[in-house]
């Protein structure tokens, strides 16, 4: 079925290009429709009205000079693209338009009375530089914040158009199995994911397939690394925030797309003068692929094909000159189910029925008011999370009601002082029902499921966090080149009953208008996970982990206002990690009784490194080279300092692209030091469960081979007068390198086989939009 | 939310679970400890101190009858379920247990005693004295559910070695756990009297599963045992090395 689909897709591609080439515009691109709009004068001349639009997007073009030759007539379009000629002689004449960033328009037209509603479509010189209309853009407050705009991540090679995967192309960001994001050597769980500033429970479907918001509904994605500002907390590594975009205001737009794994659509438009909407939906049929792989496997029966779906909705309303309201809705669902007739890894607990259903939704209302030099922002996120997993006789059911609140007031107090006061809080009420063994994992090696003590838990509780912050931007004088950013964040965490003040300080020195030096230092904290502070599975006395970040950097824009040239970004970072939560097999006395500790805060760590990124804009080429040197270490009682699981010492990313009028060619080359792993040196047979318990060697004392991958991508746009048809083809792992992702051990851990990553994967997709 | 990722990763990994070249758990092709049997898997706290007889089932099909040396010890469970290494080394309450060397001698077929020619079976039993005080300082819930006394055994022979451990639980529950029973092994529905040839469906006739109660802070949870049969062969292939209740496993 997959191959039939591909054949149909390729046939449609050929047909569309054939249609495009069969109707070439006369004389050098651009086109026009001539259907009327005329007033006859008493002589052989007549007045003529028309409109100039951008081909494909139908965007009105203002201040465009239209010439009619040889009569030397000239008209200029207004803000709505409309123009008028008072006296156009009847007969043949040439219409000429020259506009920067657009192909020259030249067309011979016979002017007569039948000419009505004259529309001229101008073709952009490159189909890939359509302006993204952005309103209400989230501001970028920290120099360490990097932002990818939609046009950057939609065509990023190797990312499949996904914004979160495209973040892996940035310096300091690496990847591990399943597209999890590693920020500067920190664990994936140390990264906080948000949408419009509010935490969301997960950012990927099925842990790495695709992010939970349709990329075309995302305006930009922010990546906040070491030294990030006080607006966020609870993340020792960094923050990744999706900014859901505002609906377009000019007219109704729609798009629909389909690729090998999923399909989706988006529609947006104006409701009235002051309000507009956007709705998007996606559905994945990856289950068909999965089912084809699983077909014929006697030990495995697919009962619920893996599917994911997500919806995004936006409603915006202007409330006068100073106020604006926006309501964003995000919903996501993942489902999967199968029956295992044979235990996995000979673990008797891992057999039988497996099913997984994860869903969440968020309603995010936002209200902004700008009054003079002050701005007030209020937003909330209300939603529910639901996870239900069944693994044989075991189950995990979590239902959570979640409310998060953000409020901020900022004001330019004086020309040299801007201040921000804000609040960032979350209230979570959850109900947990589980029947699971108390699993143990250390050094990246997990004990068998069956070897743990099975616990049944059924209770409800709350986990709230209250945060307030204060940020400042200060200069000694208006002419001063040094800007100071003193900041403070204070969090109260109800599960650990801690009040955590986190002062932060940043500096920026303007060496030249295009060159900045910067530095920052600050305290950060992170709440333990629910499992870690849960009384049955964790340690109710556990505390938040803490870190101090130190960053210095230098930015230089060699283009100095031009469009061609280079941009250089450099960073040195150091993180001191304290009170890290680690697994414990010790027993402690709690309320007069000996109980297993399970977790404690005796872990420590340090992360140090340097990043450099050089971007070269050499129209039509662009090249981005990112190199990160990063060392990440951990220590815990009984172990000497060892590299952490996320120590990827060298990471090189080179991305190149070539843009022509209708084609975009891109390639990404990645070379990353292999991740450390803990060897299993022996095992012991657990006679009670029938499984083998691994005996670990020195933690992370071995290292996998380097990871190397080349991804290729081709985009083609066919721009018609009133719509655009896009095709893309992507070849991930074009060199078909068998990168080692992990091991599969024999039942007694005495032998192992490498588990390699995905082979060369071709994907194709098609999208139509107007 | 990490669990759903693990589940999905497991689901992709398992698709090749029968395609790798790794040795299978049912294959008897090296020195192994197949089981440790305690005649009393659980003791009432009120009955302590008490002795428990330990029978160890060993397989050394390629050992040519070499001498097997055993090292055994017992101690309070250091917390294996919470990640502690299953060993009594370094435990101040460790008790060394004397287990004599074993040399394979001629045996009657199917006697179940370790010896020639099968080199698979039980070695002479030894006893473990379970001391009092194991429940001291533990919560009432833990005392009811049971606290483990660990027995560890290591066997060495000709450069190979194998380790295993067994928990003997001590609890305050009114009825202690007893061992499941297996009364017959059948091949294609008939009692297995001689070793089969060709393809056969193997089943085990097992006793009744016990019901029991597990206490937690949220209340009592009534559970029923799941009885698994582990299968081992030194020749041929088994479809399943572990079967649940009366399930069959195909041997070829």
């Amino acid at each position: 079925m997959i191959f039939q689909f591909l054949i149909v897709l390729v046939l449609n591609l050929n047909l569309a290009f054939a249609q495009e080439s069969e109707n070439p515009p006369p004389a050098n691109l651009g086109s026009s429709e001539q259907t009327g709009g005329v007033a006859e004068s008493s002589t052989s001349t007549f007045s003529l009205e028309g409109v100039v639009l951008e081909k494909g997007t139908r965007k009105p073009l203002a201040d465009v000079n239209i010439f009619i030759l040889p009569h030397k007539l000239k008209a200029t379009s207004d803000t709505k693209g409309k123009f008028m000629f008072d006296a156009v002689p009847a007969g043949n004449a040439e219409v000429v338009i020259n506009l920067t960033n657009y192909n020259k328009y030249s067309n011979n037209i016979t002017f007569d009375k039948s000419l009505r509603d004259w529309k001229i479509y101008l073709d952009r010189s490159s189909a890939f530089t359509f302006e993204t209309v952005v309103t209400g853009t989230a501001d970028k407050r920290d120099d360490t914040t990097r932002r990818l705009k939609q046009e950057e991540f939609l065509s990023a090679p190797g990312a499949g158009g996904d914004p979160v995967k495209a973040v892996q192309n940035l310096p300091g960001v690496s990847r591990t199995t399943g597209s999890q994001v590693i920020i500067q050597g920190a664990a994936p769980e140390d990264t906080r994911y948000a949408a419009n500033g509010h935490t969301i429970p997960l950012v990927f479907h099925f842990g790495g397939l695709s992010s939970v918001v349709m990329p075309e509904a995302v305006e930009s994605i922010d990546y906040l690394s070491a030294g990030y500002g006080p607006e966020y907390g609870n993340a020792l590594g960094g923050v990744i925030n999706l900014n859901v975009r505002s609906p377009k205001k000019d007219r109704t737009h729609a798009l629909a797309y389909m690729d090998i794994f999923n399909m989706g659509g988006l529609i947006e438009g104006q409701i009235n003068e002051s309000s507009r909407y956007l709705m998007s939906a996606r559905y994945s049929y990856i289950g068909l692929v999965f089912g084809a792989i699983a077909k014929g496997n006697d030990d495995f029966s697919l009962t619920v094909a893996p599917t994911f779906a997500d919806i995004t909705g936006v409603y915006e309303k202007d409330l006068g000159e100073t106020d604006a309201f926006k309501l964003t809705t995000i919903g996501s669902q993942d489902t999967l189910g199968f029956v295992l007739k044979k235990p996995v890894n000979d673990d008797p607990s891992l057999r039988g029925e497996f099913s997984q259903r994860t869903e969440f939704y968020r309603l995010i209302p936002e209200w902004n008011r700008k009054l003079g030099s002050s701005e007030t922002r209020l937003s909330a996120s209300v939603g529910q999370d639901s996870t239900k997993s069944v693994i044989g006789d075991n189950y995990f059911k979590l239902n959570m009601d979640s409310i998060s609140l953000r409020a901020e007031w900022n004001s330019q107090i004086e020309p040299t002082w801007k201040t921000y006061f804000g609040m960032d809080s979350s209230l979570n009420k959850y109900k947990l029902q589980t029947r699971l063994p108390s699993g143990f994992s250390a050094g990246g090696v997990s004990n068998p499921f069956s070897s743990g003590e099975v616990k049944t838990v059924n209770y409800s509780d709350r986990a709230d966090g209250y945060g307030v912050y204060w940020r400042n931007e200060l200069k000694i004088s208006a002419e001063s080149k040094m800007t100071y950013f003193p900041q403070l964040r204070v969090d109260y965490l109800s599960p650990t009953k801690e009040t955590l003040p986190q002062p932060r300080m940043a500096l920026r020195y303007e060496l030249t208008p295009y060159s900045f030096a910067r530095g920052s230092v600050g305290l950060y904290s992170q709440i333990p996970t629910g499992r870690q502070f849960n009384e049955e599975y964790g340690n109710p006395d556990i505390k938040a982990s803490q870190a101090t970040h130190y960053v210095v950097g230098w930015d230089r824009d060699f283009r100095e206002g031009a469009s061609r040239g280079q941009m250089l970004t450099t960073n040195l970072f150091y993180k001191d990690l304290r009170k890290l939560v680690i697994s414990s097999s010790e027993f402690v006395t709690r309320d007069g009784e000996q109980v297993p500790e399970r977790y404690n805060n005796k872990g420590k760590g340090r992360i140090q490194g340097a990043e450099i990124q050089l971007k070269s804009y050499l129209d039509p080429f662009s090249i981005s080279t990112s190199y990160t040197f990063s060392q990440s270490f951990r220590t815990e009682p009984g172990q000497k300092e060892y590299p952490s699981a996320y120590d990827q010492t060298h990471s090189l990313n080179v991305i190149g692209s070539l843009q022509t009028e209708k084609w975009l060619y891109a390639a990404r080359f990645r070379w990353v030091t292999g991740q450390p792993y803990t060897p299993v040196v022996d095992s012991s047979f657990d006679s009670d469960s029938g499984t083998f318990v691994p005996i670990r060697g020195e933690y992370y004392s071995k290292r996998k081979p380097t990871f190397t991958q080349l991804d290729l991508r081709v985009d083609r746009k066919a721009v018609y007068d009133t719509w655009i048809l896009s095709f893309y083809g992507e070849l991930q792992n074009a060199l078909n390198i068998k990168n080692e992702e992990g091991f599969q051990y024999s039942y007694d851990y005495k032998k192992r086989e490498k588990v390699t990553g995905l082979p060369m994967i071709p994907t194709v997709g098609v999208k139509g939009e107007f | 939310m990490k669990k759903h990722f693990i589940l999905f990763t497991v689901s992709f990994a398992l698709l090749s679970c029968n395609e790798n070249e790794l040795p299978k758990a049912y294959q008897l092709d090296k020195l192994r400890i197949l089981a440790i049997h305690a005649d009393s898997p659980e003791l009432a706290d009120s009955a302590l101190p008490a002795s428990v007889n330990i029978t160890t089932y060993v397989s050394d099909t390629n050992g040519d009858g070499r001498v097997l040396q055993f090292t055994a010890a017992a101690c309070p469970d250091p917390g294996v379920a919470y990640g502690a290494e299953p060993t009594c080394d370094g435990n101040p309450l460790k008790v060394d247990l004397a287990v004599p060397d074993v040399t394979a001698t001629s045996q009657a077929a199917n006697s179940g005693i370790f010896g020639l020619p099968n080199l698979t079976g039980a070695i002479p039993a030894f006893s473990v004295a379970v001391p009092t005080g194991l429940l001291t300082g533990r919560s009432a819930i833990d005392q009811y559910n049971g606290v483990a006394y660990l027995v560890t055994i290591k066997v060495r022979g000709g450069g190979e070695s194998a380790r295993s451990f067994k928990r003997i639980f001590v609890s305050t529950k009114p009825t202690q756990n007893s061992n499941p029973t297996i009364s017959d092994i059948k091949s294609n529905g008939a009692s297995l009297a001689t070793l089969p040839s060709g393809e056969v469906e193997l089943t085990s006739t097992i006793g009744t599963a016990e019901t029991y109660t597990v206490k937690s802070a949220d209340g009592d949870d009534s559970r029923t045992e799941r009885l698994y049969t582990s299968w081992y062969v030194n020749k041929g292939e088994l479809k399943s090395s572990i079967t649940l209740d009366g399930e069959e496993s195909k041997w070829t």
Side-chain angles (χ1 to χ4, degrees):
Chain A
M1 183 174 175
I2 297 293
F3 291 112
Q4 290 167 348
F5 163 77
L6 286 175
I7 290 169
V8 169
L9 190 63
V10 170
L11 286 174
N12 281 327
L13 180 143
N14 287 334
L15 183 62
F17 289 151
Q19 287 175 341
E20 185 191 14
S21 61
E22 283 168 5
N23 298 289
N28 292 338
L29 311 163
S31 62
S32 63
E33 294 175 16
Q34 304 157 19
T35 53
V38 119
E40 188 173 351
S41 72
S42 58
T43 64
S44 60
T45 65
F46 50 89
S47 64
L48 184 60
E49 293 179 353
V51 64
V52 183
L53 303 168
E54 182 176 86
K55 191 175 182 181
T57 64
R58 289 185 272 164
K59 186 181 86 170
L61 298 174
D63 299 322
V64 177
N65 294 321
I66 305 104
F67 297 92
I68 298 179
L69 304 175
H71 309 300
K72 296 184 182 176
L73 298 174
K74 173 188 164 186
T76 303
S77 63
D78 62 13
T79 56
K80 294 184 180 177
K82 292 183 177 177
F83 62 89
M84 188 177 79
F85 289 94
D86 289 327
V88 179
N92 292 333
E94 184 187 20
V95 179
V96 176
I97 300 174
N98 276 298
L99 185 65
T100 304
N101 294 326
Y102 291 84
N103 292 321
K104 179 184 175 183
Y105 177 86
S106 174
N107 198 10
N108 289 310
I109 296 173
T110 301
F111 290 95
D112 60 29
K113 299 173 194 177
S114 63
L115 198 58
R116 298 179 195 282
D117 292 336
W118 187 18
K119 290 178 184 170
I120 298 177
Y121 292 96
L122 295 189
D123 209 357
R124 288 193 73 97
S125 51
S126 171
F128 295 93
T129 54
F130 287 106
E131 184 182 323
T132 302
V133 178
V134 162
T135 57
T137 308
D139 51 337
K140 200 171 103 167
R141 296 182 180 178
D142 299 304
D143 293 321
T144 56
T145 298
R146 292 185 177 84
R147 174 169 291 162
L148 282 180
K149 292 183 272 189
Q150 190 189 87
E151 56 264 32
E152 293 175 285
F153 59 71
L154 282 183
S155 56
D162 189 274
V164 183
K165 290 184 182 179
V167 166
Q168 295 175 7
N169 294 339
L170 297 175
V173 185
S174 192
R175 47 77 66 193
T176 181
T177 312
S179 297
Q180 295 183 75
V181 172
I182 299 172
I183 296 181
Q184 293 167 331
E189 53 266 28
D190 293 346
T191 299
R192 178 174 165 183
Y193 294 101
N196 290 7
H198 293 272
T199 299
I200 52 178
L202 50 96
V203 76
F204 280 124
H205 290 293
F206 287 124
L209 278 183
S210 174
S211 49
V212 295
V213 179
M214 186 168 161
E216 285 80 359
V218 176
E219 171 192 313
S220 60
I221 180 167
D222 292 335
Y223 154 58
L224 286 66
S225 60
Y228 65 85
E231 290 78 4
Y232 291 96
N234 269 315
L236 296 190
V239 180
I240 290 180
N241 179 55
L242 296 167
N243 297 306
V244 180
R245 70 175 174 85
S246 296
K248 292 177 183 171
K249 292 182 180 179
D250 52 345
R251 57 178 178 77
T252 299
H253 294 259
L255 69 88
Y257 80 91
M258 174 185 272
D259 63 27
I260 283 182
F261 296 118
N262 62 89
M263 62 183 180
L266 181 152
I267 184 166
E268 60 186 316
Q270 194 95 342
I271 299 172
N272 52 45
E273 280 296 316
S274 62
S275 61
R276 49 215 161 264
Y277 73 98
L278 175 152
M279 288 174 54
S280 76
R282 276 195 306 183
Y283 179 78
S284 166
Y285 33 78
I286 189 175
L288 293 176
V289 176
F290 197 75
I293 295 171
K295 200 175 177 183
N297 191 317
D298 292 335
D299 302 320
F300 176 89
S301 171
L302 193 66
T303 54
V304 178
T307 58
F308 72 73
D310 57 59
I311 59 167
T312 304
V314 179
Y315 170 76
E316 255 188 8
K317 184 166 179 66
D318 302 323
L319 304 170
E321 292 292 324
T322 59
D323 294 48
F325 175 78
K326 180 179 181 181
L327 176 66
T328 304
T329 306
I330 299 172
S332 167
Q333 183 185 87
D334 298 350
T335 54
L336 165 68
F338 50 87
V339 173
L340 269 181
K341 298 165 194 169
K342 194 167 131 182
V344 177
N345 294 335
D346 298 295
D347 189 332
S349 292
L350 295 179
R351 59 167 286 166
E353 180 196 348
F354 282 68
S355 67
Q356 167 73 40
R357 185 183 178 96
T358 303
E359 50 196 14
F360 79 92
Y361 75 83
R362 292 289 185 272
L363 297 174
I364 308 175
E366 301 170 68
W367 172 68
N368 284 358
R369 164 173 284 186
K370 284 188 180 176
L371 210 56
S373 61
S374 298
E375 185 181 10
T376 304
R377 299 178 181 183
L378 296 176
S379 69
S381 169
V382 178
Q384 287 185 321
D385 308 340
S386 174
T387 297
K388 181 180 173 186
S389 302
V390 173
I391 310 168
D393 293 332
N394 303 294
Y395 57 82
F396 176 90
K397 299 175 192 173
L398 173 66
N399 290 294
M400 186 156 76
D401 297 328
S402 172
I403 297 177
S404 68
L405 302 167
R406 277 197 169 274
E408 182 181 280
W409 173 82
N410 66 67
S411 181
Q412 193 77 45
I413 306 293
E414 292 182 5
T416 56
W417 180 28
K418 185 171 183 179
T419 195
Y420 306 71
F421 282 103
M423 175 196 62
D424 166 33
S425 300
S426 69
L427 312 170
N428 302 293
K429 180 180 169 186
Y430 62 92
K431 182 178 172 68
L432 179 64
Q433 297 169 287
T434 75
R435 184 183 186 278
L436 283 175
S438 56
F440 176 81
S441 179
V445 178
S446 297
N447 282 8
F449 215 53
S450 297
S451 66
E453 181 186 342
V454 176
K455 290 191 168 292
T456 304
V457 167
N458 185 355
Y459 75 93
S460 301
D461 203 350
R462 299 186 64 91
D464 302 331
Y466 305 91
V468 293
Y469 64 87
W470 183 35
R471 170 195 280 268
N472 295 277
E473 295 172 15
L474 288 168
K475 285 189 169 185
I476 303 297
S477 66
E479 299 76 31
S480 173
K481 293 184 183 297
M482 177 73 86
T483 307
Y484 302 86
F485 302 88
Q487 308 157 21
L488 175 66
R489 181 180 173 100
V490 181
D491 281 304
Y492 173 76
L493 306 174
S494 71
T496 60
K497 298 179 179 48
E498 292 175 282
T499 301
L500 298 163
Q502 297 149 79
R504 302 171 191 176
M505 180 69 174
L507 303 168
R508 183 203 297 148
Y509 185 79
E510 182 185 320
L511 298 162
T512 73
Y514 301 101
S515 176
F516 295 90
R518 48 184 166 71
S520 65
V521 59
L523 295 187
Y524 297 80
S525 66
Q526 183 169 315
I527 189 172
T529 65
R531 182 187 177 93
Q532 291 169 344
F533 62 71
N534 176 268
E535 191 162 344
E536 286 297 320
Y537 288 101
N539 179 353
D541 297 331
I542 207 79
K543 298 297 179 192
S545 302
Q546 295 179 16
T548 305
H549 292 184
Y550 305 86
V551 181
V552 293
W554 174 58
D555 300 328
R556 176 75 163 96
D557 190 346
F558 293 96
R559 297 173 302 175
E560 297 189 355
S563 59
R564 292 169 63 94
Q566 282 80 34
M567 282 181 61
L568 180 68
T569 305
T570 63
N571 255 349
L572 295 175
F573 58 88
Y574 182 84
K575 300 183 197 177
D576 172 52
L577 311 175
R578 304 175 297 279
K579 294 186 177 180
L580 298 180
V581 178
I582 58 172
S583 297
S584 169
S585 57
E586 302 290 324
F587 280 79
V588 295
T589 301
R590 191 178 298 141
D591 299 328
E593 295 174 337
Q594 286 281 309
V595 295
E597 189 178 43
R598 299 195 192 96
Y599 297 99
N600 61 42
N601 284 107
K602 293 180 180 174
K604 295 181 185 177
R606 61 188 175 96
I607 303 173
Q608 59 205 22
E611 305 163 1
I612 182 167
Q613 182 183 39
L614 179 66
K615 287 187 182 178
S616 299
Y617 299 93
L618 308 168
D619 186 35
F621 297 97
S622 70
I623 301 173
S624 170
T625 305
S626 303
Y627 170 74
T628 304
F629 170 81
S630 169
Q631 293 180 310
S632 179
F633 299 100
R634 300 288 183 273
T635 57
E636 57 186 76
Q639 294 275 343
K640 62 180 184 182
E641 188 180 71
Y642 56 86
S644 85
Y646 310 104
D647 178 292
Q648 295 178 320
T649 317
H650 305 283
S651 176
L652 176 66
N653 252 315
V654 181
I655 301 171
S657 68
L658 167 62
Q659 190 171 295
T660 67
E661 189 175 322
K662 293 287 191 287
W663 294 87
L664 177 66
Y665 306 91
R668 176 180 69 175
F669 176 77
R670 283 196 293 187
W671 182 87
V672 186
T673 305
Q675 282 178 259
Y677 68 92
T678 300
V680 176
V681 297
D682 202 353
S683 64
S684 185
F685 178 64
D686 181 346
S687 184
D688 294 309
S689 68
T691 58
F692 283 77
V693 173
I695 309 298
R696 299 161 183 80
E698 274 188 43
Y699 285 3
Y700 300 108
S701 55
K702 303 284 185 188
R703 200 174 277 274
K704 296 175 200 169
T706 54
F707 174 91
T708 310
Q709 183 159 311
L710 175 68
D711 305 308
L712 304 174
R713 184 182 171 106
V714 172
D715 286 82
R716 169 68 159 98
K717 279 190 195 268
V719 182
Y720 302 97
D721 286 349
T722 55
W723 68 297
I724 301 170
L725 185 64
S726 305
F727 295 90
Y728 84 85
E730 195 165 66
L731 191 62
Q732 293 188 20
N733 194 12
L735 300 177
N736 202 24
I737 294 175
K738 294 179 171 50
N739 289 300
E740 202 173 298
E741 297 283 16
F743 304 107
Q744 184 171 3
Y745 285 95
S746 62
Y747 67 92
D748 57 358
Y749 294 90
K750 295 287 199 296
K751 288 190 175 336
R752 70 180 192 203
E753 280 187 350
K754 290 186 292 187
V755 174
T756 56
L758 294 172
M760 178 164 47
I761 298 182
T763 57
V764 292
V766 59
K767 178 168 71 177
E769 58 189 309
F770 67 87
Chain B
M1 294 296 165
K2 189 175 173 182
K3 285 186 167 49
H4 80 280
F5 162 67
I6 294 171
L7 179 65
F8 194 64
T9 306
V10 165
S11 67
F12 270 117
L14 63 86
L15 287 173
S16 61
C17 66
N18 63 347
E19 297 170 1
N20 61 58
E21 301 300 319
L22 295 169
K24 303 294 185 279
Y26 61 76
Q27 288 171 330
L28 296 179
D29 56 1
K30 57 184 169 185
L31 179 60
R32 294 178 62 173
I33 297 175
L34 302 182
I36 302 176
H37 177 272
D39 60 357
S40 298
E42 186 171 13
L43 299 167
D45 184 55
S46 58
L48 298 180
S51 274
V52 174
N53 285 323
I54 301 293
T55 305
T56 310
Y57 291 83
V58 177
S59 176
D60 191 22
T61 53
N62 291 334
D64 289 331
R66 59 190 166 186
V67 174
L68 300 180
Q69 298 172 309
F70 290 85
T71 310
C75 62
D77 183 355
V80 175
Y82 309 109
E85 188 174 324
T87 179
C88 291
D89 293 346
N91 191 317
L93 299 176
K94 173 185 176 183
V95 173
D96 288 315
L97 304 170
V99 181
D101 295 352
V102 168
T103 305
T105 57
S106 297
Q107 64 170 89
N110 298 326
S111 64
I113 304 299
F114 181 86
L116 295 167
N118 294 330
L119 296 173
T120 298
I123 66 166
F126 59 91
S127 68
V128 174
V130 180
T132 59
L134 284 173
L135 302 186
T136 304
R138 301 297 291 266
S139 68
I141 290 175
D142 282 352
Q143 291 184 15
Y144 182 93
N145 292 333
V147 174
Y149 193 64
L150 200 72
V151 176
T152 67
I153 299 174
K154 184 170 184 177
V155 59
R156 292 184 186 83
E160 284 186 69
S161 65
R163 294 168 58 172
S164 182
F165 63 95
K166 168 75 181 170
R167 303 172 186 82
I168 301 168
F169 283 93
V170 174
S171 69
T172 58
K173 56 167 74 87
T175 304
Q176 273 65 47
N177 182 34
S178 54
N179 286 313
T181 58
I182 180 168
S183 56
D184 201 3
I185 295 175
K186 293 184 178 177
S187 171
N188 289 341
S191 291
L192 188 65
T194 56
L195 290 176
S197 60
E199 185 178 288
V200 296
E201 301 283 350
L202 298 172
T203 53
S204 57
T205 305
I206 55 178
T208 308
E210 295 176 282
T211 58
Y212 60 102
T213 300
V214 174
K215 286 187 181 292
S216 71
D218 296 326
D220 293 354
D221 181 27
S222 179
R223 297 180 189 173
T224 303
E225 287 179 330
R226 301 303 299 271
L227 301 179
Y228 295 94
T229 302
S230 296
W231 298 89
Y232 301 96
V233 294
N234 65 333
K235 282 181 186 173
E237 291 184 0
L238 276 172
K239 182 71 173 170
S240 304
S241 59
I242 300 176
T243 56
L244 177 63
D245 298 329
E247 278 179 353
E248 62 193 27
S249 181
K250 190 181 295 184
W251 177 81
T252 306

